[in-house]
Amino acid sequence: ETGVTQSPTHLIKTRGQQVTLRCSSQSGHNTVSWYQQALGQGPQFIFQYYREEENGRGNFPPRFSGLQFPNYSSELNVNALELDDSALYLCASTLSGANVLTFGAGSRLTVL
Amino acid sequence: GENVEQHPSTLSVQEGDSAVIKCTYSDSASNYFPWYKQELGKRPQLIIDIRSNVGEKKDQRIAVTLNKTAKHFSLHITETQPEDSAVYFCAASATDSWGKFQFGAGTQVVVTP
């Protein structure tokens, strides 16, 4: 059984650029949730994908968007990057209806 | 929406002492309360969880208590060890919001030998 994997692990972008982060869910998990963790803060829920559709969204602007693929893997896209987008982006997978999250190691984004 | 407050933000304890972290939540629909441990540079790891139909749950040196009436829950670590040093997060969610958690801001626990 494989865990949740994320790529890239680290990346640096400049303001105004766009970024795509990727996540492969744990084997058997069909739901992916994305969280943003700023330095010294708890994870903040961005959105969740289930059956290839967005299934709930936190308080994040539309420039944060995502996709889920038939194999349950997911992407997080952020357009028009701002300095405050610098954070650790965590992907977590679960089985639909179950509340136990399995987190990936995260992608650390730095926006200069 | 749900709001979870966590206290204290930092906690220093001597090895062998107990540590207690407290969280409060606002949404009456919340019924699942996990606790995560995050070591520096690592992913959050689930250490214990409790559901609203239970008042207390214990797993070796770790226990969690839930007071639904007061809307607060607590993590208790007994006989602390240096490897317990980490950031601990509480979280809350409701059944119809599976996978969508509101996290507390975290507690940095430092266990000194």
Side-chain angles (χ1 to χ4, degrees), chain B residues 24-92:
Chain B
T24 61
Y25 63 98
S26 60
D27 189 351
S28 300
S30 293
N31 58 4
Y32 175 67
F33 307 92
W35 286 87
Y36 286 85
K37 175 183 180 182
Q38 188 174 31
E39 296 177 41
L40 192 61
K42 302 278 185 69
R43 72 191 74 192
Q45 300 269 16
L46 177 69
I47 56 171
I48 196 168
D49 56 12
I50 192 167
R51 299 185 187 276
S52 59
N53 58 347
V54 175
E56 184 174 359
K57 182 176 179 181
K58 193 172 181 180
D59 183 3
Q60 299 182 349
R61 297 185 297 107
I62 293 173
V64 57
T65 58
L66 171 64
N67 183 326
K68 283 179 58 180
T69 304
K71 293 190 187 142
H72 64 72
F73 55 114
S74 301
L75 177 71
H76 304 253
I77 307 173
T78 58
E79 301 172 25
T80 53
Q81 301 168 3
E83 52 265 39
D84 294 329
S85 295
V87 179
Y88 292 81
F89 293 99
C90 61

Short mmCIF file of all heavy atoms in Angstrom, two decimals, chain B residues 24-92:
data_model
loop_
_atom_site.label_atom_id
_atom_site.label_comp_id
_atom_site.label_asym_id
_atom_site.label_seq_id
_atom_site.Cartn_x
_atom_site.Cartn_y
_atom_site.Cartn_z
N THR B 24 -11.27 24.52 21.74
CA THR B 24 -12.71 24.76 21.73
C THR B 24 -13.18 24.88 20.29
O THR B 24 -12.42 25.29 19.41
CB THR B 24 -13.08 26.04 22.50
OG1 THR B 24 -12.44 27.16 21.87
CG2 THR B 24 -12.63 25.97 23.94
N TYR B 25 -14.43 24.50 20.06
CA TYR B 25 -14.99 24.58 18.72
C TYR B 25 -16.33 25.29 18.79
O TYR B 25 -16.93 25.40 19.87
CB TYR B 25 -15.11 23.21 18.07
CG TYR B 25 -16.03 22.24 18.78
CD1 TYR B 25 -17.34 22.04 18.34
CD2 TYR B 25 -15.59 21.49 19.87
CE1 TYR B 25 -18.18 21.14 18.98
CE2 TYR B 25 -16.43 20.59 20.52
CZ TYR B 25 -17.72 20.41 20.07
OH TYR B 25 -18.56 19.53 20.70
N SER B 26 -16.81 25.75 17.64
CA SER B 26 -18.03 26.56 17.65
C SER B 26 -19.22 25.87 17.00
O SER B 26 -20.37 26.17 17.36
CB SER B 26 -17.77 27.90 16.94
OG SER B 26 -17.37 27.68 15.60
N ASP B 27 -18.98 24.97 16.07
CA ASP B 27 -20.06 24.37 15.29
C ASP B 27 -20.65 23.15 16.01
O ASP B 27 -19.95 22.15 16.20
CB ASP B 27 -19.54 23.96 13.91
CG ASP B 27 -20.64 23.52 12.97
OD1 ASP B 27 -21.81 23.37 13.41
OD2 ASP B 27 -20.36 23.31 11.77
N SER B 28 -21.91 23.23 16.40
CA SER B 28 -22.57 22.13 17.10
C SER B 28 -22.64 20.86 16.27
O SER B 28 -22.80 19.76 16.81
CB SER B 28 -23.99 22.53 17.50
OG SER B 28 -23.98 23.65 18.34
N ALA B 29 -22.53 21.00 14.95
CA ALA B 29 -22.60 19.83 14.07
C ALA B 29 -21.29 19.04 14.06
O ALA B 29 -21.26 17.90 13.57
CB ALA B 29 -22.95 20.26 12.65
N SER B 30 -20.23 19.61 14.58
CA SER B 30 -18.94 18.90 14.60
C SER B 30 -19.05 17.66 15.46
O SER B 30 -19.60 17.70 16.57
CB SER B 30 -17.83 19.80 15.14
OG SER B 30 -17.58 20.86 14.26
N ASN B 31 -18.57 16.54 14.95
CA ASN B 31 -18.69 15.29 15.69
C ASN B 31 -17.47 14.40 15.59
O ASN B 31 -17.48 13.25 16.03
CB ASN B 31 -19.94 14.51 15.23
CG ASN B 31 -19.91 14.20 13.75
OD1 ASN B 31 -18.94 14.49 13.06
ND2 ASN B 31 -20.97 13.61 13.25
N TYR B 32 -16.41 14.93 14.99
CA TYR B 32 -15.19 14.15 14.88
C TYR B 32 -14.02 15.07 15.18
O TYR B 32 -13.91 16.15 14.59
CB TYR B 32 -15.06 13.54 13.49
CG TYR B 32 -13.76 12.81 13.26
CD1 TYR B 32 -13.47 11.63 13.95
CD2 TYR B 32 -12.81 13.29 12.37
CE1 TYR B 32 -12.28 10.97 13.76
CE2 TYR B 32 -11.61 12.64 12.17
CZ TYR B 32 -11.35 11.47 12.86
OH TYR B 32 -10.16 10.82 12.67
N PHE B 33 -13.13 14.63 16.12
CA PHE B 33 -12.09 15.52 16.63
C PHE B 33 -10.75 14.77 16.65
O PHE B 33 -10.45 14.05 17.60
CB PHE B 33 -12.46 16.00 18.03
CG PHE B 33 -13.84 16.60 18.09
CD1 PHE B 33 -14.94 15.81 18.41
CD2 PHE B 33 -14.05 17.94 17.79
CE1 PHE B 33 -16.22 16.34 18.45
CE2 PHE B 33 -15.33 18.49 17.84
CZ PHE B 33 -16.41 17.69 18.15
N PRO B 34 -9.95 14.95 15.62
CA PRO B 34 -8.64 14.30 15.60
C PRO B 34 -7.55 15.21 16.15
O PRO B 34 -7.70 16.43 16.18
CB PRO B 34 -8.41 14.04 14.11
CG PRO B 34 -9.12 15.17 13.44
CD PRO B 34 -10.28 15.55 14.34
N TRP B 35 -6.46 14.60 16.56
CA TRP B 35 -5.27 15.33 16.97
C TRP B 35 -4.11 14.86 16.08
O TRP B 35 -3.92 13.67 15.86
CB TRP B 35 -4.92 15.04 18.43
CG TRP B 35 -5.84 15.73 19.39
CD1 TRP B 35 -7.03 15.27 19.86
CD2 TRP B 35 -5.63 17.02 19.99
NE1 TRP B 35 -7.59 16.19 20.73
CE2 TRP B 35 -6.76 17.27 20.83
CE3 TRP B 35 -4.63 17.97 19.92
CZ2 TRP B 35 -6.88 18.44 21.58
CZ3 TRP B 35 -4.75 19.13 20.67
CH2 TRP B 35 -5.87 19.35 21.49
N TYR B 36 -3.35 15.84 15.59
CA TYR B 36 -2.22 15.54 14.73
C TYR B 36 -0.93 16.03 15.38
O TYR B 36 -0.90 17.07 16.04
CB TYR B 36 -2.38 16.22 13.36
CG TYR B 36 -3.40 15.55 12.47
CD1 TYR B 36 -4.75 15.86 12.57
CD2 TYR B 36 -3.01 14.60 11.53
CE1 TYR B 36 -5.69 15.24 11.77
CE2 TYR B 36 -3.95 13.97 10.71
CZ TYR B 36 -5.27 14.30 10.85
OH TYR B 36 -6.20 13.68 10.05
N LYS B 37 0.13 15.28 15.14
CA LYS B 37 1.47 15.65 15.60
C LYS B 37 2.30 15.95 14.37
O LYS B 37 2.32 15.16 13.41
CB LYS B 37 2.08 14.49 16.38
CG LYS B 37 3.53 14.70 16.83
CD LYS B 37 4.04 13.45 17.53
CE LYS B 37 5.48 13.62 17.99
NZ LYS B 37 6.00 12.38 18.65
N GLN B 38 2.99 17.09 14.38
CA GLN B 38 3.80 17.45 13.24
C GLN B 38 5.21 17.79 13.72
O GLN B 38 5.42 18.79 14.41
CB GLN B 38 3.22 18.64 12.47
CG GLN B 38 3.92 18.93 11.15
CD GLN B 38 3.23 20.02 10.35
OE1 GLN B 38 2.61 20.92 10.90
NE2 GLN B 38 3.35 19.95 9.03
N GLU B 39 6.14 16.95 13.36
CA GLU B 39 7.54 17.22 13.68
C GLU B 39 8.10 18.14 12.62
O GLU B 39 7.58 18.24 11.51
CB GLU B 39 8.31 15.90 13.76
CG GLU B 39 7.80 15.01 14.90
CD GLU B 39 8.48 13.66 14.94
OE1 GLU B 39 9.72 13.62 14.74
OE2 GLU B 39 7.80 12.66 15.18
N LEU B 40 9.18 18.83 12.95
CA LEU B 40 9.74 19.84 12.08
C LEU B 40 10.04 19.29 10.69
O LEU B 40 10.75 18.30 10.54
CB LEU B 40 11.03 20.40 12.71
CG LEU B 40 11.60 21.67 12.09
CD1 LEU B 40 10.59 22.81 12.20
CD2 LEU B 40 12.91 22.04 12.73
N GLY B 41 9.45 19.93 9.68
CA GLY B 41 9.69 19.52 8.30
C GLY B 41 8.98 18.26 7.88
O GLY B 41 9.21 17.75 6.78
N LYS B 42 8.09 17.75 8.74
CA LYS B 42 7.39 16.49 8.41
C LYS B 42 5.89 16.74 8.18
O LYS B 42 5.37 17.82 8.47
CB LYS B 42 7.57 15.47 9.55
CG LYS B 42 9.02 15.15 9.88
CD LYS B 42 9.57 14.11 8.94
CE LYS B 42 10.98 13.66 9.28
NZ LYS B 42 11.01 12.88 10.54
N ARG B 43 5.22 15.72 7.71
CA ARG B 43 3.77 15.82 7.50
C ARG B 43 3.03 15.63 8.82
O ARG B 43 3.53 14.98 9.72
CB ARG B 43 3.33 14.75 6.49
CG ARG B 43 3.34 13.33 7.06
CD ARG B 43 3.17 12.30 5.97
NE ARG B 43 4.36 12.14 5.15
CZ ARG B 43 4.40 11.49 3.99
NH1 ARG B 43 3.30 10.94 3.52
NH2 ARG B 43 5.52 11.39 3.31
N PRO B 44 1.83 16.18 8.93
CA PRO B 44 1.02 15.91 10.14
C PRO B 44 0.65 14.43 10.20
O PRO B 44 0.28 13.83 9.19
CB PRO B 44 -0.23 16.77 9.92
CG PRO B 44 0.15 17.80 8.92
CD PRO B 44 1.16 17.13 8.03
N GLN B 45 0.77 13.88 11.40
CA GLN B 45 0.45 12.46 11.61
C GLN B 45 -0.66 12.36 12.65
O GLN B 45 -0.55 12.96 13.73
CB GLN B 45 1.69 11.69 12.11
CG GLN B 45 2.87 11.72 11.16
CD GLN B 45 2.87 10.54 10.20
OE1 GLN B 45 1.86 9.87 10.02
NE2 GLN B 45 4.01 10.30 9.58
N LEU B 46 -1.68 11.61 12.32
CA LEU B 46 -2.78 11.39 13.26
C LEU B 46 -2.28 10.59 14.46
O LEU B 46 -1.67 9.53 14.29
CB LEU B 46 -3.92 10.64 12.57
CG LEU B 46 -5.12 10.27 13.44
CD1 LEU B 46 -5.89 11.52 13.82
CD2 LEU B 46 -6.03 9.29 12.70
N ILE B 47 -2.51 11.10 15.68
CA ILE B 47 -2.07 10.37 16.86
C ILE B 47 -3.23 9.80 17.66
O ILE B 47 -3.10 8.74 18.29
CB ILE B 47 -1.18 11.23 17.78
CG1 ILE B 47 -1.89 12.53 18.19
CG2 ILE B 47 0.16 11.53 17.11
CD1 ILE B 47 -1.14 13.30 19.27
N ILE B 48 -4.36 10.46 17.63
CA ILE B 48 -5.54 9.96 18.33
C ILE B 48 -6.74 10.77 17.85
O ILE B 48 -6.58 11.90 17.38
CB ILE B 48 -5.38 10.06 19.88
CG1 ILE B 48 -6.43 9.20 20.60
CG2 ILE B 48 -5.42 11.51 20.34
CD1 ILE B 48 -6.13 9.01 22.09
N ASP B 49 -7.91 10.17 17.91
CA ASP B 49 -9.12 10.90 17.53
C ASP B 49 -10.27 10.46 18.44
O ASP B 49 -10.19 9.43 19.12
CB ASP B 49 -9.47 10.67 16.06
CG ASP B 49 -9.62 9.19 15.69
OD1 ASP B 49 -9.69 8.33 16.60
OD2 ASP B 49 -9.65 8.88 14.48
N ILE B 50 -11.31 11.26 18.45
CA ILE B 50 -12.48 10.94 19.27
C ILE B 50 -13.72 11.39 18.53
O ILE B 50 -13.72 12.41 17.83
CB ILE B 50 -12.37 11.59 20.68
CG1 ILE B 50 -13.44 11.02 21.61
CG2 ILE B 50 -12.46 13.12 20.59
CD1 ILE B 50 -13.20 11.39 23.08
N ARG B 51 -14.77 10.60 18.67
CA ARG B 51 -16.04 10.94 18.06
C ARG B 51 -17.01 11.39 19.14
O ARG B 51 -16.83 11.08 20.32
CB ARG B 51 -16.58 9.75 17.27
CG ARG B 51 -15.62 9.36 16.16
CD ARG B 51 -16.12 8.26 15.26
NE ARG B 51 -15.07 7.84 14.34
CZ ARG B 51 -14.79 8.44 13.19
NH1 ARG B 51 -15.51 9.49 12.80
NH2 ARG B 51 -13.81 8.01 12.41
N SER B 52 -18.05 12.08 18.71
CA SER B 52 -18.90 12.78 19.69
C SER B 52 -19.73 11.85 20.55
O SER B 52 -20.32 12.30 21.53
CB SER B 52 -19.82 13.76 18.98
OG SER B 52 -20.63 13.09 18.05
N ASN B 53 -19.77 10.57 20.23
CA ASN B 53 -20.54 9.65 21.06
C ASN B 53 -19.69 9.06 22.19
O ASN B 53 -20.14 8.17 22.91
CB ASN B 53 -21.13 8.52 20.20
CG ASN B 53 -20.06 7.75 19.45
OD1 ASN B 53 -18.92 8.18 19.36
ND2 ASN B 53 -20.43 6.60 18.92
N VAL B 54 -18.45 9.58 22.31
CA VAL B 54 -17.53 9.08 23.33
C VAL B 54 -16.99 10.26 24.12
O VAL B 54 -16.73 11.32 23.55
CB VAL B 54 -16.35 8.32 22.66
CG1 VAL B 54 -15.32 7.91 23.69
CG2 VAL B 54 -16.87 7.12 21.90
N GLY B 55 -16.80 10.10 25.42
CA GLY B 55 -16.32 11.20 26.24
C GLY B 55 -14.81 11.19 26.45
O GLY B 55 -14.21 12.23 26.70
N GLU B 56 -14.23 10.00 26.34
CA GLU B 56 -12.80 9.89 26.57
C GLU B 56 -12.25 8.70 25.79
O GLU B 56 -12.93 7.69 25.62
CB GLU B 56 -12.52 9.70 28.06
CG GLU B 56 -11.04 9.66 28.42
CD GLU B 56 -10.79 9.62 29.93
OE1 GLU B 56 -11.76 9.64 30.70
OE2 GLU B 56 -9.61 9.57 30.32
N LYS B 57 -11.01 8.85 25.35
CA LYS B 57 -10.34 7.75 24.64
C LYS B 57 -8.88 7.79 25.02
O LYS B 57 -8.29 8.87 25.13
CB LYS B 57 -10.53 7.93 23.13
CG LYS B 57 -9.93 6.82 22.28
CD LYS B 57 -10.26 7.07 20.82
CE LYS B 57 -9.67 6.02 19.92
NZ LYS B 57 -9.98 6.30 18.48
N LYS B 58 -8.31 6.61 25.21
CA LYS B 58 -6.91 6.54 25.66
C LYS B 58 -6.13 5.58 24.79
O LYS B 58 -6.64 4.55 24.34
CB LYS B 58 -6.87 6.08 27.12
CG LYS B 58 -5.53 6.26 27.79
CD LYS B 58 -5.63 5.97 29.28
CE LYS B 58 -4.28 6.19 29.96
NZ LYS B 58 -4.33 5.91 31.40
N ASP B 59 -4.88 5.93 24.53
CA ASP B 59 -3.98 5.06 23.77
C ASP B 59 -2.60 5.20 24.38
O ASP B 59 -1.88 6.15 24.11
CB ASP B 59 -3.96 5.46 22.29
CG ASP B 59 -3.08 4.54 21.46
OD1 ASP B 59 -2.53 3.55 22.00
OD2 ASP B 59 -2.94 4.79 20.24
N GLN B 60 -2.27 4.29 25.25
CA GLN B 60 -0.99 4.29 25.97
C GLN B 60 -0.82 5.59 26.74
O GLN B 60 -1.61 5.86 27.66
CB GLN B 60 0.15 4.02 24.99
CG GLN B 60 0.02 2.66 24.30
CD GLN B 60 1.16 2.35 23.36
OE1 GLN B 60 2.00 3.19 23.03
NE2 GLN B 60 1.23 1.11 22.91
N ARG B 61 0.14 6.43 26.40
CA ARG B 61 0.39 7.64 27.18
C ARG B 61 -0.46 8.82 26.72
O ARG B 61 -0.35 9.92 27.27
CB ARG B 61 1.87 8.02 27.09
CG ARG B 61 2.83 7.00 27.69
CD ARG B 61 4.27 7.52 27.66
NE ARG B 61 4.77 7.75 26.31
CZ ARG B 61 4.95 8.95 25.78
NH1 ARG B 61 4.68 10.05 26.46
NH2 ARG B 61 5.42 9.07 24.54
N ILE B 62 -1.28 8.61 25.71
CA ILE B 62 -2.05 9.71 25.14
C ILE B 62 -3.53 9.48 25.41
O ILE B 62 -4.02 8.35 25.27
CB ILE B 62 -1.81 9.81 23.62
CG1 ILE B 62 -0.36 10.23 23.36
CG2 ILE B 62 -2.76 10.79 22.97
CD1 ILE B 62 0.01 10.20 21.90
N ALA B 63 -4.23 10.54 25.78
CA ALA B 63 -5.67 10.46 25.99
C ALA B 63 -6.32 11.73 25.47
O ALA B 63 -5.70 12.79 25.42
CB ALA B 63 -5.99 10.27 27.47
N VAL B 64 -7.56 11.60 25.05
CA VAL B 64 -8.33 12.75 24.61
C VAL B 64 -9.66 12.72 25.32
O VAL B 64 -10.26 11.67 25.50
CB VAL B 64 -8.50 12.78 23.08
CG1 VAL B 64 -9.15 11.51 22.57
CG2 VAL B 64 -9.26 14.00 22.63
N THR B 65 -10.11 13.89 25.78
CA THR B 65 -11.41 14.01 26.42
C THR B 65 -12.25 14.99 25.63
O THR B 65 -11.73 15.91 24.99
CB THR B 65 -11.27 14.51 27.86
OG1 THR B 65 -10.60 15.78 27.86
CG2 THR B 65 -10.49 13.53 28.72
N LEU B 66 -13.55 14.79 25.64
CA LEU B 66 -14.48 15.64 24.89
C LEU B 66 -15.64 16.03 25.79
O LEU B 66 -16.25 15.16 26.43
CB LEU B 66 -15.00 14.89 23.67
CG LEU B 66 -16.14 15.53 22.88
CD1 LEU B 66 -15.70 16.86 22.25
CD2 LEU B 66 -16.67 14.57 21.82
N ASN B 67 -15.93 17.31 25.83
CA ASN B 67 -17.11 17.83 26.53
C ASN B 67 -17.99 18.50 25.48
O ASN B 67 -17.74 19.65 25.09
CB ASN B 67 -16.68 18.82 27.61
CG ASN B 67 -17.87 19.33 28.43
OD1 ASN B 67 -18.97 19.50 27.92
ND2 ASN B 67 -17.64 19.57 29.70
N LYS B 68 -19.00 17.77 25.01
CA LYS B 68 -19.86 18.29 23.94
C LYS B 68 -20.66 19.50 24.38
O LYS B 68 -20.90 20.43 23.61
CB LYS B 68 -20.80 17.19 23.45
CG LYS B 68 -20.17 16.17 22.56
CD LYS B 68 -21.18 15.11 22.17
CE LYS B 68 -22.38 15.69 21.46
NZ LYS B 68 -23.36 14.65 21.08
N THR B 69 -21.10 19.50 25.62
CA THR B 69 -21.91 20.60 26.12
C THR B 69 -21.12 21.90 26.10
O THR B 69 -21.62 22.94 25.67
CB THR B 69 -22.40 20.31 27.56
OG1 THR B 69 -23.10 19.06 27.56
CG2 THR B 69 -23.30 21.42 28.06
N ALA B 70 -19.89 21.82 26.55
CA ALA B 70 -19.05 23.00 26.60
C ALA B 70 -18.31 23.25 25.29
O ALA B 70 -17.65 24.28 25.13
CB ALA B 70 -18.04 22.87 27.74
N LYS B 71 -18.39 22.30 24.37
CA LYS B 71 -17.71 22.38 23.07
C LYS B 71 -16.21 22.54 23.25
O LYS B 71 -15.59 23.43 22.64
CB LYS B 71 -18.27 23.52 22.23
CG LYS B 71 -19.72 23.31 21.79
CD LYS B 71 -20.13 24.36 20.78
CE LYS B 71 -21.61 24.23 20.48
NZ LYS B 71 -22.26 25.50 20.30
N HIS B 72 -15.64 21.70 24.08
CA HIS B 72 -14.20 21.69 24.13
C HIS B 72 -13.66 20.27 24.28
O HIS B 72 -14.35 19.37 24.75
CB HIS B 72 -13.63 22.66 25.19
CG HIS B 72 -13.96 22.34 26.60
ND1 HIS B 72 -13.42 21.28 27.30
CD2 HIS B 72 -14.77 22.98 27.48
CE1 HIS B 72 -13.88 21.27 28.53
NE2 HIS B 72 -14.70 22.28 28.67
N PHE B 73 -12.45 20.09 23.82
CA PHE B 73 -11.78 18.80 23.89
C PHE B 73 -10.31 19.04 24.18
O PHE B 73 -9.77 20.11 23.89
CB PHE B 73 -12.00 17.98 22.61
CG PHE B 73 -11.60 18.63 21.32
CD1 PHE B 73 -10.55 18.12 20.57
CD2 PHE B 73 -12.30 19.72 20.80
CE1 PHE B 73 -10.18 18.69 19.36
CE2 PHE B 73 -11.94 20.30 19.60
CZ PHE B 73 -10.88 19.77 18.88
N SER B 74 -9.70 18.05 24.79
CA SER B 74 -8.33 18.21 25.28
C SER B 74 -7.48 16.99 24.98
O SER B 74 -7.99 15.87 24.94
CB SER B 74 -8.33 18.45 26.80
OG SER B 74 -9.07 19.59 27.15
N LEU B 75 -6.20 17.24 24.80
CA LEU B 75 -5.21 16.18 24.61
C LEU B 75 -4.35 16.12 25.86
O LEU B 75 -3.87 17.15 26.34
CB LEU B 75 -4.33 16.47 23.39
CG LEU B 75 -3.21 15.47 23.12
CD1 LEU B 75 -3.79 14.14 22.62
CD2 LEU B 75 -2.22 16.03 22.11
N HIS B 76 -4.17 14.92 26.38
CA HIS B 76 -3.36 14.72 27.58
C HIS B 76 -2.22 13.76 27.23
O HIS B 76 -2.48 12.66 26.72
CB HIS B 76 -4.20 14.10 28.70
CG HIS B 76 -5.42 14.88 29.05
ND1 HIS B 76 -5.53 15.62 30.21
CD2 HIS B 76 -6.59 15.06 28.38
CE1 HIS B 76 -6.73 16.20 30.24
NE2 HIS B 76 -7.39 15.88 29.15
N ILE B 77 -1.00 14.19 27.49
CA ILE B 77 0.15 13.31 27.30
C ILE B 77 0.78 13.10 28.67
O ILE B 77 1.18 14.07 29.34
CB ILE B 77 1.19 13.92 26.34
CG1 ILE B 77 0.53 14.33 25.02
CG2 ILE B 77 2.32 12.92 26.08
CD1 ILE B 77 1.47 15.08 24.08
N THR B 78 0.88 11.87 29.09
CA THR B 78 1.49 11.56 30.39
C THR B 78 2.92 11.05 30.19
O THR B 78 3.28 10.60 29.10
CB THR B 78 0.67 10.52 31.16
OG1 THR B 78 0.58 9.33 30.36
CG2 THR B 78 -0.73 11.03 31.46
N GLU B 79 3.70 11.16 31.25
CA GLU B 79 5.09 10.66 31.24
C GLU B 79 5.81 11.11 29.96
O GLU B 79 6.33 10.28 29.21
CB GLU B 79 5.09 9.14 31.36
CG GLU B 79 4.43 8.63 32.63
CD GLU B 79 4.28 7.11 32.63
OE1 GLU B 79 5.05 6.42 31.94
OE2 GLU B 79 3.36 6.62 33.31
N THR B 80 5.83 12.41 29.73
CA THR B 80 6.38 12.93 28.48
C THR B 80 7.84 12.53 28.30
O THR B 80 8.61 12.38 29.26
CB THR B 80 6.27 14.46 28.43
OG1 THR B 80 6.86 15.01 29.62
CG2 THR B 80 4.83 14.89 28.30
N GLN B 81 8.18 12.35 27.02
CA GLN B 81 9.54 11.97 26.63
C GLN B 81 10.05 12.96 25.60
O GLN B 81 9.24 13.63 24.93
CB GLN B 81 9.52 10.55 26.05
CG GLN B 81 8.98 9.51 27.04
CD GLN B 81 8.70 8.17 26.40
OE1 GLN B 81 8.94 7.96 25.21
NE2 GLN B 81 8.19 7.25 27.19
N PRO B 82 11.36 13.10 25.44
CA PRO B 82 11.88 14.07 24.46
C PRO B 82 11.31 13.89 23.06
O PRO B 82 11.10 14.88 22.35
CB PRO B 82 13.39 13.80 24.48
CG PRO B 82 13.66 13.32 25.87
CD PRO B 82 12.45 12.49 26.23
N GLU B 83 10.99 12.67 22.67
CA GLU B 83 10.43 12.44 21.34
C GLU B 83 8.99 12.93 21.20
O GLU B 83 8.43 12.92 20.09
CB GLU B 83 10.52 10.96 20.94
CG GLU B 83 9.95 10.00 21.95
CD GLU B 83 11.01 9.43 22.89
OE1 GLU B 83 11.93 10.19 23.29
OE2 GLU B 83 10.90 8.24 23.22
N ASP B 84 8.39 13.37 22.30
CA ASP B 84 7.07 13.98 22.23
C ASP B 84 7.15 15.44 21.77
O ASP B 84 6.13 16.07 21.49
CB ASP B 84 6.36 13.93 23.59
CG ASP B 84 6.04 12.51 24.03
OD1 ASP B 84 5.80 11.65 23.16
OD2 ASP B 84 6.02 12.26 25.26
N SER B 85 8.37 15.99 21.72
CA SER B 85 8.55 17.37 21.27
C SER B 85 8.12 17.49 19.81
O SER B 85 8.63 16.78 18.94
CB SER B 85 10.01 17.79 21.42
OG SER B 85 10.40 17.81 22.78
N ALA B 86 7.17 18.39 19.56
CA ALA B 86 6.61 18.57 18.22
C ALA B 86 5.53 19.65 18.31
O ALA B 86 5.26 20.18 19.38
CB ALA B 86 5.99 17.27 17.70
N VAL B 87 4.90 19.95 17.17
CA VAL B 87 3.72 20.80 17.16
C VAL B 87 2.50 19.90 17.09
O VAL B 87 2.45 18.99 16.26
CB VAL B 87 3.74 21.79 15.98
CG1 VAL B 87 2.47 22.65 16.00
CG2 VAL B 87 4.97 22.68 16.05
N TYR B 88 1.54 20.16 17.95
CA TYR B 88 0.31 19.37 17.99
C TYR B 88 -0.86 20.24 17.53
O TYR B 88 -0.99 21.39 17.96
CB TYR B 88 0.05 18.86 19.41
CG TYR B 88 1.06 17.82 19.85
CD1 TYR B 88 2.33 18.21 20.31
CD2 TYR B 88 0.77 16.46 19.77
CE1 TYR B 88 3.27 17.26 20.69
CE2 TYR B 88 1.71 15.51 20.15
CZ TYR B 88 2.96 15.93 20.60
OH TYR B 88 3.89 14.98 20.97
N PHE B 89 -1.67 19.69 16.65
CA PHE B 89 -2.84 20.39 16.14
C PHE B 89 -4.11 19.63 16.50
O PHE B 89 -4.17 18.41 16.32
CB PHE B 89 -2.79 20.50 14.61
CG PHE B 89 -1.69 21.37 14.09
CD1 PHE B 89 -0.50 20.80 13.64
CD2 PHE B 89 -1.83 22.74 14.04
CE1 PHE B 89 0.51 21.59 13.14
CE2 PHE B 89 -0.81 23.54 13.55
CZ PHE B 89 0.36 22.96 13.11
N CYS B 90 -5.12 20.36 16.96
CA CYS B 90 -6.44 19.77 17.09
C CYS B 90 -7.24 20.15 15.85
O CYS B 90 -6.89 21.09 15.13
CB CYS B 90 -7.15 20.27 18.34
SG CYS B 90 -7.44 22.05 18.39
N ALA B 91 -8.28 19.42 15.59
CA ALA B 91 -9.12 19.70 14.42
C ALA B 91 -10.54 19.22 14.70
O ALA B 91 -10.77 18.42 15.62
CB ALA B 91 -8.56 19.02 13.17
N ALA B 92 -11.47 19.73 13.92
CA ALA B 92 -12.87 19.35 14.06
C ALA B 92 -13.53 19.28 12.69
O ALA B 92 -13.18 20.05 11.79
CB ALA B 92 -13.61 20.35 14.94
#
